[in-house]
Amino acid sequence: MTKNNINSLYIHIPFCESICDYCDFTKLQYFRNIASTYLEALEKELTETVTNHDLLTIYIGGGTPTSLEDDLFLKLLQIVDPYSKKAKEYTIEANPESLSVNKIKMMKEYGVNRVSIGVESTDDRILKDINRHHTFSDVKKAKELLELNGINNINFDLMLGLPNVSIKMLQKDILNILSLNPTHVSCYSLTVHEHTVFHINKITPPSDEFSYEAYRIVDSLLKKEGFIHYEVSNWCKPNKESLHNLTYWRNEPYYGVGLGASGYVNDVRYKNTTNLSMYLKGTNAQEKEVVKLKDLEIYQIMLNLRTIEGLDLEKYHRLFKKDLYKEKQQIIDGYIDSGHLKIVKNHLIPTFEGMMILDKITLDLIA
Ligand code: SF4
């Protein structure tokens, strides 16, 4: 089903200068010698896994890719270089404090054309409380440096529902972010995961009511400035959607390399080991799920409905020989009447309200 056209590659760099109190990503404290060995294992995995050298999107995430010292950062870019020649979108995640002029110049030289900056809050006291080591002034500086060096496609990540952040403070965060003239903004609601400092400190995640209100405020402020709410947690200026992330939401295949990375290749969804010593010894995929037709159908509904492209009912019919609208007419009509879904040009599309209860809608459609 997915044998051809793997056009996207995700690369995981798990190192961070310090560990944030809420973080549940696959990450490790940065140590030069480990990072250096890691890059060798990564190069080996890339060579063995990625057969298409004409990729359209590349995304280097983490962790914090910019935590690598300059020579290792350069090595990373050189390792990825053979795959990036035709990339339309080449993104690197960065923390504001480690985004130096040197690194930006290297990115530009190697074709990186999009940077995603972890801001999380624009209030310096809140940043300190969650063990982030930058200030909003670092964010401004990073953004200026990127633009000075010709990288203008910039995403800012914000976290919603952090402790002691009121709706009023969130409004201020969005206005601060808007003052930077971004092309893309991502806002994720805080989840308190086990084994995090937040969990140990018994921090409570935001209530559903708070999250709803937070998303509503973000949405209205960003829309006023011409942003499109194109995915549950993502807003962009016209034509600035993350092409890489659209691959995931369109349920298309992609390579994933690096510690804990996930991929979807030749009908198999896999997740690499999160055990560093195993990874360095060359053991990669730890979990594998062969995607059967029924699973593909569930993924198609679940992922396509996350964006305003929606679920193409004609394509669905072609793929699964089923008329979803006919089969679920009562449910779909109910959600259309309540303002959660709409059908435009044979695409089933969530409204803002629909995006806020997407899990429920998806469950009703796949049941
Ligand atoms: S910088 Fe990102 S990946 Fe690293 S600890 Fe903080 S949230 Fe986690």
Side-chain angles (χ1 to χ4, degrees):
M1 287 177 279
T2 60
K3 290 214 165 41
N4 304 314
N5 302 330
I6 303 174
N7 291 319
S8 295
L9 164 66
Y10 174 79
I11 298 171
H12 194 75
I13 301 296
F15 306 104
C16 294
E17 293 104 333
S18 60
I19 305 301
C20 306
D21 287 357
Y22 54 86
C23 180
D24 185 45
F25 297 124
T26 304
K27 81 286 174 186
L28 306 158
Q29 183 70 42
Y30 175 76
F31 288 107
R32 183 184 168 81
N33 54 346
I34 298 177
S36 175
T37 316
Y38 180 81
L39 290 180
E40 285 165 23
L42 185 76
E43 185 170 18
K44 187 165 171 283
E45 191 193 359
L46 263 174
T47 317
E48 288 168 358
T49 316
V50 180
T51 48
N52 180 9
H53 283 218
D54 296 332
L55 296 161
L56 297 181
T57 74
I58 296 176
Y59 192 108
I60 305 183
T64 312
T66 50
S67 67
L68 298 173
E69 287 159 88
D70 282 2
D71 58 328
L72 295 184
F73 190 72
L74 177 63
K75 187 171 176 201
L76 169 66
L77 292 168
Q78 287 168 340
I79 289 171
V80 181
D81 195 46
Y83 307 90
S84 68
K85 302 291 186 210
K86 298 244 169 88
K88 274 174 77 177
E89 184 185 277
Y90 183 179
T91 305
I92 293 192
E93 280 181 357
N95 275 356
E97 69 274 31
S98 54
L99 194 50
S100 63
V101 184
N102 267 351
K103 287 195 180 104
I104 295 171
K105 285 191 189 307
M106 287 184 226
M107 288 183 194
K108 185 72 188 161
E109 192 189 332
Y110 281 84
V112 174
N113 55 16
R114 185 172 184 274
V115 170
S116 178
I117 301 182
V119 180
E120 315 317 344
S121 168
T122 65
D123 185 315
D124 294 348
R125 281 165 314 168
I126 298 290
L127 288 168
K128 215 167 166 204
D129 284 352
I130 60 172
N131 202 29
R132 295 291 301 215
H133 291 217
H134 67 267
T135 60
F136 184 53
S137 139
D138 293 328
V139 177
K140 287 196 259 187
K141 222 182 309 156
K143 187 256 176 185
E144 274 164 25
L145 284 178
L146 283 167
E147 287 191 340
L148 263 177
N149 288 281
I151 299 180
N152 301 302
N153 196 4
I154 304 171
N155 170 58
F156 295 100
D157 266 350
L158 263 190
M159 180 132 324
L160 307 182
L162 285 169
N164 305 316
V165 177
S166 63
I167 290 288
K168 207 160 167 217
M169 288 161 79
L170 174 64
Q171 273 173 310
K172 181 94 193 303
D173 280 337
I174 294 294
L175 296 177
N176 282 336
I177 293 288
L178 280 170
S179 73
L180 303 177
N181 198 19
T183 52
H184 194 285
V185 179
S186 301
C187 294
Y188 295 98
S189 196
L190 171 72
T191 310
V192 178
H193 298 277
E194 274 186 50
H195 314 299
T196 61
V197 175
F198 269 18
H199 191 258
I200 293 163
N201 291 346
K202 299 195 170 29
I203 300 291
T204 43
S207 65
D208 288 351
E209 292 72 28
F210 183 94
S211 291
Y212 175 84
E213 188 56 10
Y215 273 107
R216 205 185 56 76
I217 294 286
V218 170
D219 188 54
S220 91
L221 289 173
L222 290 177
K223 274 188 184 148
K224 250 189 236 159
E225 297 303 317
F227 282 79
I228 302 160
H229 186 200
Y230 77 102
E231 194 270 346
V232 178
S233 305
N234 289 281
W235 288 258
C236 69
K237 282 286 175 77
N239 302 316
K240 295 294 180 188
E241 295 88 352
S242 161
L243 298 179
H244 182 83
N245 289 343
L246 280 176
T247 306
Y248 304 150
W249 300 318
R250 286 174 179 157
N251 198 17
E252 288 169 354
Y254 57 95
Y255 300 105
V257 300
L259 191 72
S262 302
Y264 179 28
V265 173
N266 296 341
D267 298 335
V268 175
R269 285 190 178 269
Y270 62 88
K271 182 167 163 45
N272 276 357
T273 178
T274 53
N275 178 318
L276 181 68
S277 61
M278 277 176 76
Y279 183 77
L280 295 181
K281 280 184 204 139
T283 312
N284 303 333
Q286 184 186 38
E287 296 164 26
K288 286 186 181 180
E289 175 203 3
V290 178
V291 179
K292 310 240 170 59
L293 198 65
K294 181 68 198 160
D295 308 320
L296 185 70
E297 192 182 340
I298 292 172
Y299 280 118
Q300 194 81 8
I301 294 174
M302 189 172 78
L303 295 170
N304 288 181
L305 279 182
R306 292 192 67 85
T307 74
I308 57 169
E309 282 184 359
L311 178 69
D312 181 340
L313 294 170
E314 230 170 77
K315 184 173 174 191
Y316 184 92
H317 191 254
R318 246 190 351 264
L319 285 173
F320 308 110
K321 314 280 175 270
K322 282 181 184 175
D323 185 332
L324 185 72
Y325 181 68
K326 239 189 208 160
E327 284 190 10
K328 302 280 178 183
Q329 186 168 2
Q330 217 179 346
I331 293 169
I332 294 174
D333 283 349
Y335 278 124
I336 291 174
D337 290 344
S338 59
H340 292 93
L341 290 176
K342 56 187 177 182
I343 295 181
V344 181
K345 295 187 182 151
N346 223 8
H347 283 62
L348 189 60
I349 296 169
T351 61
F352 173 81
E353 298 298 333
M355 285 184 181
M356 294 298 105
I357 56 157
L358 205 55
D359 290 349
K360 183 174 177 339
I361 296 176
T362 304
L363 280 175
D364 283 348
L365 290 178
I366 63 180

